[in-house]
Amino acid sequence: MTSGASRTGRQRLAPDVRRRQVLDAAVAVFSEEGFHGASMDAIAVRAGVSKPLVYAHGGSKDELFAACLHREADRLLRSVQSAAGEPDAEPLARLRRALRAFFLALTTRRQGWTVLWRQASTGPFAGEVDALRRRIVEEAADLMAGGLGVPRARVLPYAHTLVGAAEGLADWWLTDPEAAATTGPGDPADVLADLLVAVVGPGLATIAPSGAVSGER
Amino acid sequence: MTSGASRTGRQRLAPDVRRRQVLDAAVAVFSEEGFHGASMDAIAVRAGVSKPLVYAHGGSKDELFAACLHREADRLLRSVQSAAGEPDAEPLARLRRALRAFFLALTTRRQGWTVLWRQASTGPFAGEVDALRRRIVEEAADLMAGGLGVPRARVLPYAHTLVGAAEGLADWWLTDPEAAATTGPGDPADVLADLLVAVVGPGLATIAPSGAVSGER
DNA sequence: ACCTTAACTACCGATGCGTAAAGTAGCCCG
DNA sequence: CGGGCTACTTTACGCATCGGTAGTTAAGGT
């Protein structure tokens, strides 16, 4: 159904290939059942291997979950950062590209998103996902501060608001795709990115100017 | 530390009072440990009663958790709705009041918020919290549709965006209070509500007018 | 043929939900 | 004031699940 399980019972594979299989299965099961709800047996079954193999390649349950978190966080952050592009480009365009990459990443790696946001946001791993979130917020804050010519501390609440808005829109899109499809024609990631920019853009523009920090830019 | 535990070991109380005690303890423990992390023993200790009594008043662990969800969801929704006030009042003012009540509810009933958003948003209870979220979004959508004179389906994505933005801002506020405190002087709930209205207000105003849907309303 | 090692079957110990049984003390009624 | 109803406690246990491991088997290169 999801990732590569199946196969004959016994098959020798290269360690890194198996490790990737195990990680994929772990992400899938963790995303569906949550950390506590997922059992190592279920992960083993999903991966199409036996339980000791999971321990051999993934370590303990905590280590395995942490590995999932790191991999998915890395992928998400990397794709968003690379999509933003050159730092000297137009700030609003960079923001829009980053948002588009974010929405796109959710569909291509939806299970990873679920693990990160809905499973790891609590418990002993909350620090991990908080760190990722904070890095994303920092990116957004840098973008805003640079684009508006305003000190970073001043745009921090707006960055958190923007990221939260993106999350809310993303969750709706993933939860109720047919309703979200009526938003407009074309690539959904494009439509949603445009929509978000349209909502927060004018509001953000008002915090910039009029005497606060005159000279800059 | 939190709610009414303590007391001498034995005390006869009215059933509804005991039930409230058990529910309070359950919300506290669930918010701190999560659903799976919380044990019925821990809830019993927190409530200052014995384990069988927890089962007598709260039912099974699932039923107890569901009861917590229902009560906290009801309280949050009720306070937000009552704060919005008369339907014929100024839409933007209603929105601002509702937002203020929302932010205020987070501090006065922070454990309930934690249980609802960070513990119940996944697993078998995801439907419960999704229902609450959807009702809040509906409120927001009604407010927008009425204020802008636009069909409801059109403002749905904006409603989800607004609610997500409020969540993001709220999480930041609760996670990093001292940083959020630098946002401005005065009652934080007021400051945050104003901030959010300032961010999304101008953007929302642009979606209203200019011929899009002429005849309707 | 053989040896390395990936992989499996089977198992242990711990934890936690849920309940049963028996005793104890608060509160109401006579 | 005394007796009894019953809410409540203590204690103990059954049962299931799950994390983690020991000992065994077979795949595949050399």
Side-chain angles (χ1 to χ4, degrees):
Chain A
M1 259 223 182
T2 43
S3 54
S6 65
R7 232 18 176 208
T8 169
R10 201 90 151 222
Q11 196 179 11
R12 277 173 92 96
L13 288 179
D16 57 335
V17 177
R18 270 284 193 253
R19 180 178 164 80
R20 200 211 295 270
Q21 272 189 9
V22 171
L23 265 183
D24 286 342
V27 169
V29 175
F30 280 136
S31 73
E32 293 168 8
E33 311 290 343
F35 177 72
H36 286 279
S39 72
M40 296 298 266
D41 290 273
I43 294 174
V45 169
R46 177 67 73 97
V49 297
S50 65
K51 191 158 62 148
L53 238 191
V54 176
Y55 280 90
H57 285 98
S60 73
K61 191 181 183 183
D62 284 29
E63 292 168 343
L64 179 60
F65 191 68
C68 293
L69 250 51
H70 278 118
R71 192 183 71 168
E72 298 305 320
D74 220 50
R75 285 184 176 176
L76 179 60
L77 194 63
R78 199 181 302 271
S79 65
V80 170
Q81 280 178 333
S82 78
E86 311 298 321
D88 54 349
E90 173 71 25
L92 206 65
R94 291 189 71 207
L95 175 63
R96 198 202 152 282
R97 280 202 299 270
L99 283 174
R100 186 185 179 282
F102 172 75
F103 287 119
L104 200 61
L106 299 201
T107 45
T108 59
R109 311 220 32 97
R110 176 164 181 174
Q111 291 173 335
W113 158 263
T114 304
V115 170
L116 281 171
W117 251 249
R118 299 185 89 91
Q119 308 299 346
S121 58
T122 189
F125 301 96
E128 296 280 337
V129 70
D130 270 2
L132 170 64
R133 221 193 117 102
R134 197 159 291 260
R135 290 190 63 183
I136 292 184
V137 169
E138 304 250 327
E139 295 280 329
D142 284 341
L143 231 57
M144 291 181 185
L148 298 171
V150 165
R152 267 186 91 268
R154 180 114 189 285
V155 296
L156 215 58
Y158 301 97
H160 282 276
T161 303
L162 172 68
V163 173
E167 289 172 16
L169 201 54
D171 260 4
W172 175 57
W173 178 33
L174 295 178
T175 305
D176 201 351
E178 57 271 17
T182 68
T183 302
D187 184 1
D190 270 322
V191 174
L192 294 180
D194 285 337
L195 189 146
L196 198 45
V197 169
V199 171
V200 299
L204 291 181
T206 64
I207 71 170
S210 52
V213 186
S214 55
E216 251 306 292
R217 232 309 240 71
Chain B
M1 263 235 179
T2 44
S3 53
S6 66
R7 239 353 174 237
T8 170
R10 187 84 56 115
Q11 194 179 12
R12 276 172 97 95
L13 289 179
D16 56 334
V17 176
R18 269 283 192 251
R19 180 177 166 80
R20 201 211 294 270
Q21 272 189 9
V22 171
L23 266 184
D24 286 341
V27 168
V29 176
F30 280 136
S31 74
E32 294 168 7
E33 311 291 344
F35 177 72
H36 285 280
S39 72
M40 296 298 267
D41 290 272
I43 294 174
V45 168
R46 178 68 73 94
V49 297
S50 63
K51 190 160 65 150
L53 202 74
V54 175
Y55 280 90
H57 284 97
S60 74
K61 191 182 182 182
D62 284 29
E63 292 169 344
L64 180 59
F65 191 69
C68 293
L69 251 50
H70 277 118
R71 193 184 69 169
E72 297 305 321
D74 220 52
R75 286 184 176 175
L76 178 60
L77 194 64
R78 200 181 301 273
S79 65
V80 170
Q81 279 178 332
S82 79
E86 309 299 321
D88 55 348
E90 173 70 25
L92 207 65
R94 292 189 69 208
L95 175 62
R96 199 202 151 283
R97 280 202 300 269
L99 282 174
R100 186 186 179 283
F102 172 75
F103 288 118
L104 201 60
L106 298 203
T107 46
T108 59
R109 309 211 43 86
R110 178 166 180 171
Q111 292 175 334
W113 160 263
T114 303
V115 170
L116 281 171
W117 251 247
R118 298 186 89 92
Q119 307 299 344
S121 60
T122 190
F125 301 96
E128 296 281 338
V129 71
D130 270 1
L132 169 64
R133 222 193 116 102
R134 198 160 289 262
R135 291 190 62 183
I136 292 184
V137 170
E138 304 251 327
E139 294 280 329
D142 284 341
L143 231 58
M144 291 182 185
L148 298 172
V150 166
R152 265 187 93 267
R154 182 114 188 287
V155 296
L156 216 59
Y158 301 98
H160 281 276
T161 303
L162 173 68
V163 173
E167 288 172 16
L169 202 54
D171 257 5
W172 176 57
W173 179 33
L174 295 178
T175 304
D176 201 352
E178 57 272 16
T182 67
T183 302
D187 184 1
D190 270 323
V191 174
L192 293 179
D194 285 337
L195 188 146
L196 198 44
V197 169
V199 171
V200 299
L204 290 181
T206 65
I207 73 168
S210 53
V213 186
S214 54
E216 250 305 292
R217 258 290 225 33

